[in-house]
């Protein structure tokens, strides 16, 4: 089968994919891109040496074997309908949307299409998946983030938690991953990935700390169970979008390469 990808969205992740494709680093052809910000997407495409075409969604679906969502969780249900309805595979970057719309997962299984949810800004998912084949007693994730990465999060706005002028670190949230994703939809896709790989969004606990001294997005994952203890620490340098780490883009690029690579390393 000849693989080609269609990119939905042209923000930090979409642009990273397009740059990688322009350098022949994806291992697949880029069939095209679509975005709700058509003019800025076209302007960016003009900066590439060999830009793929800008397409409307229906034509992008027709030309692609794999659709890649980089546009935000709000597009995931309708994009899944379009992709799976055409027998195409889908890669979801806004993994938190899968907690809000679990029917997308069942839809992929029912229609025999592949649904990819890359690791993104997190590590250790292979260990968590393996551990959860046995008894796991606790999964906790602590995310420490710079102020700019958290500004405007719905949970902070609704609960009137100000971050301006913060001089010391402050815990701004503690609760299950499902609530974390709802309250911080642009920040906590990592917790959605951890919860889906492990014991689920209602048992996976998340602590979010705003730290004005930080310049990196830091995550610590602790898993305890009959296998023993797993601890993972990540310090992720932000991309051009302070809410998106550079590791996220690299993870997506590698995930696209893995789609066509017959050799798979890791669980």
């Amino acid at each position: 089968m000849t693989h080609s990808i269609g990119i939905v969205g042209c923000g930090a992740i979409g642009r990273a994919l397009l740059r990688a494709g322009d350098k022949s680093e994806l291992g697949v052809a880029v069939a095209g891109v679509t975005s709700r910000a058509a003019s800025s997407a076209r302007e960016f495409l003009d900066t590439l040496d060999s830009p793929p075409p800008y397409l409307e969604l229906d034509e992008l679906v027709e030309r692609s074997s794999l659709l890649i969502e980089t546009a935000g969780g709000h597009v995931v249900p309708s994009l899944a309908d379009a992709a799976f309805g055409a027998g195409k595979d889908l890669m979801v970057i806004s993994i938190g949307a899968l907690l809000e719309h679990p029917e997308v997962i069942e839809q992929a299984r029912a229609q025999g299409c592949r649904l990819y949810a890359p690791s993104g800004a997190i590590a250790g998912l292979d260990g968590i998946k393996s551990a959860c084949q046995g008894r796991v007693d606790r999964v906790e994730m602590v995310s420490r983030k710079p102020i700019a990465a958290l500004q405007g999060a719905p949970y902070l706005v609704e609960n009137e938690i100000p971050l301006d002028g913060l001089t010391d670190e402050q815990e701004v949230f503690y609760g299950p991953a499902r609530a974390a994703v709802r309250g911080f939809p642009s920040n906590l896709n990592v917790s959605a990935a951890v919860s889906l790989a492990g014991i689920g969004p209602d048992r996976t606990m998340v602590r979010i700390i705003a730290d004005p001294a930080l310049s990196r997005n830091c995550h610590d994952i602790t898993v305890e169970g009959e296998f023993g203890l797993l601890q993972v620490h990540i310090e992720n340098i932000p991309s051009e979008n302070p809410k998106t780490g550079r590791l996220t883009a690299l993870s997506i690029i590698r995930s696209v390469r893995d789609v066509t690579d017959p050799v798979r390393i890791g669980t």
Side-chain angles (χ1 to χ4, degrees), residues 216-235:
R216 300 181 178 187
N217 297 315
C218 301
H219 307 289
D220 290 277
I221 304 168
T222 300
V223 183
E224 289 185 283
E226 64 177 314
F227 73 96
L229 173 68
L230 169 67
Q231 293 180 311
V232 180
H233 176 75
I234 306 105
E235 296 187 11

Side-chain angles (χ1 to χ4, degrees), residues 122-168:
I122 208 68
L125 295 190
D126 54 347
I128 296 172
K129 287 164 66 178
S130 298
C132 286
Q133 291 302 299
R135 191 193 78 251
V136 167
D137 302 312
R138 179 171 76 100
V139 178
E140 182 171 288
M141 178 174 169
V142 179
S143 288
R144 289 179 169 84
K145 294 200 168 232
I147 301 303
L150 293 170
Q151 290 284 20
Y155 181 87
L156 300 181
V157 173
E158 292 165 9
N159 290 278
E160 300 181 348
I161 301 174
L163 297 182
D164 292 330
L166 201 64
T167 56
D168 296 310

Side-chain angles (χ1 to χ4, degrees), residues 1-263:
M1 178 183 177
T2 301
H3 288 272
S4 60
I5 64 169
I7 300 172
V8 179
C10 199
I13 301 300
R15 293 183 180 200
L17 279 170
L18 288 164
R19 291 189 192 103
D22 204 40
K23 297 176 183 177
S24 301
E25 295 175 350
L26 291 178
V28 295
V30 180
V33 61
T34 193
S35 172
R36 63 180 176 179
S39 60
S40 62
R42 292 179 189 274
E43 288 176 10
F44 176 77
L45 289 172
D46 287 341
T47 69
L48 302 177
D49 292 330
S50 301
Y54 182 90
L55 303 171
E56 296 302 322
L57 180 60
D58 56 351
E59 189 172 6
L60 187 67
V61 171
E62 182 180 344
R63 293 192 187 188
S64 308
S65 59
L66 170 65
L67 280 300
I68 303 179
E69 171 276 312
T70 74
H74 64 285
V75 309
V76 169
S78 59
L79 182 58
D81 286 341
F84 299 153
K88 306 300 178 69
D89 297 334
L90 175 63
M91 183 177 290
V92 171
I93 310 309
S94 306
I95 300 177
L98 299 180
L99 302 190
E100 293 296 309
H101 300 279
E103 70 275 7
V104 171
I105 297 173
E106 297 310 314
Q107 189 178 3
R109 289 172 172 150
Q111 299 195 24
C113 297
R114 290 192 176 274
L115 174 63
Y116 300 95
S119 301
I122 208 68
L125 295 190
D126 54 347
I128 296 172
K129 287 164 66 178
S130 298
C132 286
Q133 291 302 299
R135 191 193 78 251
V136 167
D137 302 312
R138 179 171 76 100
V139 178
E140 182 171 288
M141 178 174 169
V142 179
S143 288
R144 289 179 169 84
K145 294 200 168 232
I147 301 303
L150 293 170
Q151 290 284 20
Y155 181 87
L156 300 181
V157 173
E158 292 165 9
N159 290 278
E160 300 181 348
I161 301 174
L163 297 182
D164 292 330
L166 201 64
T167 56
D168 296 310
E169 69 173 41
Q170 176 180 323
E171 181 178 308
V172 295
F173 175 88
Y174 180 74
R178 188 184 302 279
V181 169
R182 286 176 180 162
F184 300 83
S186 299
N187 301 98
L188 268 297
N189 278 302
V190 285
S191 67
V194 169
S195 71
L196 288 171
I199 58 176
D202 299 310
R203 293 179 58 203
T204 301
M205 301 306 293
V206 177
R207 192 181 307 274
I208 303 173
I209 297 171
D211 189 340
L214 282 180
S215 60
R216 300 181 178 187
N217 297 315
C218 301
H219 307 289
D220 290 277
I221 304 168
T222 300
V223 183
E224 289 185 283
E226 64 177 314
F227 73 96
L229 173 68
L230 169 67
Q231 293 180 311
V232 180
H233 176 75
I234 306 105
E235 296 187 11
N236 201 350
I237 297 174
S239 66
E240 59 196 77
N241 178 348
K243 297 179 181 180
T244 302
R246 293 185 187 180
L247 183 60
T248 303
L250 296 173
S251 168
I252 310 313
I253 291 168
R254 180 54 192 251
S255 296
V256 171
R257 292 185 62 88
D258 282 350
V259 169
T260 58
D261 192 338
V263 178

